Amino acid sequence: MEYQAVEKAILQRGVEWKIDPTLDRINALMDLLGHPQRAYPIVHITGTNGKSSTARMIDALLRERNLRVGRFTSPHLTSMRERISVDGEPLSEDRFVEVYEDIRPYLELVDQQQGRLSFFEALTGMAYAAFADAPVDVAVIEVGMGGTWDATSVAEGAVAVVTPISLDHVDYLGPDIEAIAREKSGIIRPGSTAVLAQQPVAAAEVLVRRAAEVGATVAREGLEFGVLHREVAMGGQLLRIQGLKGVYEDVFLPLFGEHQAGNAACALAAVEALTGGDEPLEGDLVGRAFAQVTSPGRLEVIRRGPTVVVDAAHNPGAMETVVQAVEESFGFSRLIGVVSVMADKDVAGVLELLEPVLTEIVVTRNSSPRSMDVEELAALAEGIFGSERVHQAARIDDAIDMAIGLAEDTGEFSGAGVLITGSVVTVGDARLLLRAGGPA
C-alpha cells in the first residue's frame, strides 16, 4: 500500500474526538500483538494543556542520555506520521506503511470479534508495535483524551506526568475540574512516580488521593521540584530549575512563556524519577537537551516582517498562557489576530482572553468540518471586540493575507505582528500555507 492509502484507511475508522469508554478492543489488539507495550519502560503523560511540549522535552532529555526513545503524541499538525517518532524523527512514509501492514491482520480480527477499532486505537496499536520492533529503550506516551479510558492506558507507566488541568472535552471527561482530574488520574499506577504540574486545588486533591490509593510516589511542582528563576532571553528564556535530585543552573529553553518553563521542570523531574538513584543528571546534558527542544505550533514564529506567530491554543486555559507569553516575550505595539476555532469549544472564553492583546481580529474557518461558521464566529467576536475591530474571511489563506496586510499598513514592521490561533487544525493549515511545512 502507498502511504496515502494507509492514512485514508486509518481515517475511515472514524473521527478522533469521539471516544467509547472501554479498553476491550485495544486490550484484545495488544493480546494478539503479544503485548508490545510491556517491552520498554513508559513515561505516560496526561493533562489538559502542555502535554506535547512536555513529551518533546522528556524525549530530548532521554536521547541526550544516549537512549533510544519512542514518542507518541497527538494530534498532528500536518501529517499523521508526526504522532509516532523514533530517535526524535517521525516514522518515514515507508516505515509507517510497514507498521500498518504488520498489524493490519490483527486490526481486522479485532474488528470482527470485538467491534471496529477506532482511529486512535489503531494508531496506538501501531505506536506500541513500532516501539517494540525498533526496539526503543523508553517510550514517551501522550494520552489522546483523559486517562482511565484512553487507549494508551493499556500500558502502565513507570512515571505518570500530569500537566495543568482545566476545563476541556467536558462532554466526555466530566462537567468540572474534579471530574476531569479523576478521569486523568487513571494513568497513575501502583508503584509509579506521579509528577504533578501546578494544579487547581480541586484537581490536586484528586490526583494526590489517587496516588495514595495506589501507592505511587508524588512529586509536585512548587514543592518537590520547580522553576526557581526565569528571565526572558533572546529566542526563549533562561531558567534555574530545582529538580528532584539537584539544582540546574543557566538552562536555556528556546521556547516562550512561563508555562513552557513549568513544562520543562515537569519533564526534568520525570526523567530524574525514571533514572532512579540519588545522583542528579549531568548539568551539561540537561543544558544541551533543552537547548535543542522545539515545539511546533506552540508560540512558533514562522515568518518575519511582520512577525507571524502560530499557537494551537483551543481552550481558555491554554489561551491564557499564550496571552501572557505574547505580552512578555514579543512586546508588539500592534497585533492582528487570525482566529478559527472548533464549534464545540468555549469560543467566547477564548475570545475574551484575546481581546486585550489584539488590535484587530480576522475570523475565519479552518479545514476541519468541526470549524465554527465564520458568520457565527464574527457575531461572537463583535460582541466582545466591537464591530469596527472584527474582519471576516471565508478561507484561512485569505484571512492570513488580510491580517498581514493590516499589520503592514502601519509601516511598523518591528512593532507589528500577527497571531494565528484557535485550534491545532488552524495552526496546521497556516504552517502549510506559509512554510509548506512537512511533519513537525
Side-chain angles (χ1 to χ4, degrees):
M1 295 178 72
E2 297 292 328
Y3 170 72
Q4 288 75 16
V6 169
E7 196 173 55
K8 182 178 179 181
I10 296 171
L11 286 169
Q12 286 175 341
R13 291 185 169 272
V15 294
E16 181 173 10
W17 57 90
K18 290 186 179 180
I19 61 171
D20 179 15
T22 177
L23 297 179
D24 291 347
R25 292 182 301 274
I26 189 67
N27 271 320
L29 179 61
M30 292 298 104
D31 286 343
L32 291 170
L33 294 176
H35 297 283
Q37 80 279 15
R38 299 176 183 172
Y40 34 78
I42 285 173
V43 180
H44 207 175
I45 306 171
T46 191
T48 303
N49 298 307
K51 297 186 295 295
S52 292
S53 294
T54 303
R56 284 176 169 270
M57 294 178 196
I58 294 170
D59 185 339
L61 285 164
L62 292 170
R63 283 188 290 112
E64 196 62 35
R65 299 186 74 242
N66 295 316
L67 296 173
R68 193 170 205 199
V69 183
R71 185 181 76 237
F72 182 51
T73 56
S74 60
H76 60 270
L77 288 172
T78 54
S79 168
M80 199 179 288
R81 296 186 295 112
E82 297 164 29
R83 296 169 181 251
I84 307 174
S85 294
V86 175
D87 293 330
E89 295 293 332
L91 297 186
S92 68
E93 290 192 359
D94 287 346
R95 181 61 186 141
F96 193 91
V97 171
E98 287 175 2
V99 174
Y100 177 77
E101 292 281 26
D102 285 345
I103 76 165
R104 182 168 64 162
Y106 306 103
L107 295 175
E108 293 171 350
L109 190 58
V110 175
D111 289 344
Q112 294 167 9
Q113 295 180 349
Q114 297 279 342
R116 191 167 176 79
L117 285 152
S118 71
F119 168 95
F120 189 73
E121 288 168 339
L123 281 170
T124 300
M126 287 178 63
Y128 284 142
F131 298 157
D133 191 57
V136 301
D137 298 306
V138 183
V140 182
I141 306 294
E142 176 188 341
V143 304
M145 187 190 301
T148 301
W149 299 111
D150 188 75
T152 62
S153 290
V154 290
E156 296 193 2
V159 179
V161 180
V162 186
T163 66
I165 292 173
S166 61
L167 291 175
D168 199 15
H169 301 298
V170 293
D171 291 346
Y172 293 101
L173 303 182
D176 52 37
I177 292 292
E178 187 175 7
I180 292 171
R182 191 177 301 113
E183 167 62 22
K184 292 180 183 292
S185 73
I187 74 163
I188 302 173
R189 300 302 179 91
S192 68
T193 298
V195 175
L196 309 181
Q198 288 188 337
Q199 302 287 351
V201 173
E205 290 176 348
V206 170
L207 297 169
V208 171
R209 188 182 311 123
R210 164 70 179 185
E213 289 170 352
V214 301
T217 300
V218 175
R220 296 156 293 182
E221 183 184 4
L223 293 174
E224 285 79 18
F225 71 94
V227 178
L228 299 176
H229 180 74
R230 58 182 291 271
E231 58 185 80
V232 176
M234 182 67 69
Q237 53 193 308
L238 195 64
L239 308 176
R240 184 170 183 255
I241 304 175
Q242 172 69 62
L244 299 178
K245 301 176 182 179
V247 175
Y248 302 84
E249 307 276 358
D250 299 326
V251 177
F252 176 68
L253 182 68
L255 303 175
F256 301 103
E258 185 177 6
H259 62 296
Q260 293 288 22
N263 291 338
C266 288
L268 181 57
V271 173
E272 287 180 310
L274 187 70
T275 56
D278 297 323
E279 291 297 314
L281 304 179
E282 180 189 337
D284 288 347
L285 179 151
V286 173
R288 290 194 303 270
F290 279 137
Q292 62 185 317
V293 168
T294 62
S295 191
R298 278 75 181 176
L299 285 173
E300 180 186 15
V301 177
I302 59 173
R303 173 179 163 156
R304 297 285 187 182
T307 299
V308 177
V309 181
V310 297
D311 193 277
H314 59 276
N315 57 52
M319 193 59 73
E320 185 174 9
T321 64
V322 168
V323 167
Q324 291 171 352
V326 166
E327 291 182 312
E328 174 187 77
S329 301
F330 292 94
F332 293 120
S333 60
R334 176 178 172 82
L335 182 61
I336 312 300
V338 174
V339 178
S340 173
V341 292
M342 301 306 181
D344 59 344
K345 298 298 181 181
D346 181 1
V347 180
V350 166
L351 293 174
E352 286 167 358
L353 287 164
L354 283 168
E355 190 277 330
V357 295
L358 295 184
T359 310
E360 299 178 69
I361 182 172
V362 183
V363 299
T364 186
R365 66 174 301 133
N366 58 45
S367 58
S368 169
R370 296 167 59 212
S371 182
M372 178 174 273
D373 177 76
V374 175
E375 292 188 0
E376 184 180 355
L377 181 54
L380 279 172
E382 287 174 3
I384 295 167
F385 286 78
S387 58
E388 69 281 357
R389 295 167 61 195
V390 178
H391 309 270
Q392 298 183 44
R395 303 187 339 175
I396 193 169
D397 54 345
D398 293 333
I400 293 171
D401 288 344
M402 184 185 299
I404 290 173
L406 289 167
E408 289 176 338
D409 281 347
T410 66
E412 302 174 14
F413 289 157
S414 61
V418 174
L419 173 64
I420 304 172
T421 190
S423 165
V424 172
V425 178
T426 302
V427 168
D429 292 347
R431 290 177 90 251
L432 279 173
L433 289 165
L434 293 176
R435 296 178 58 179

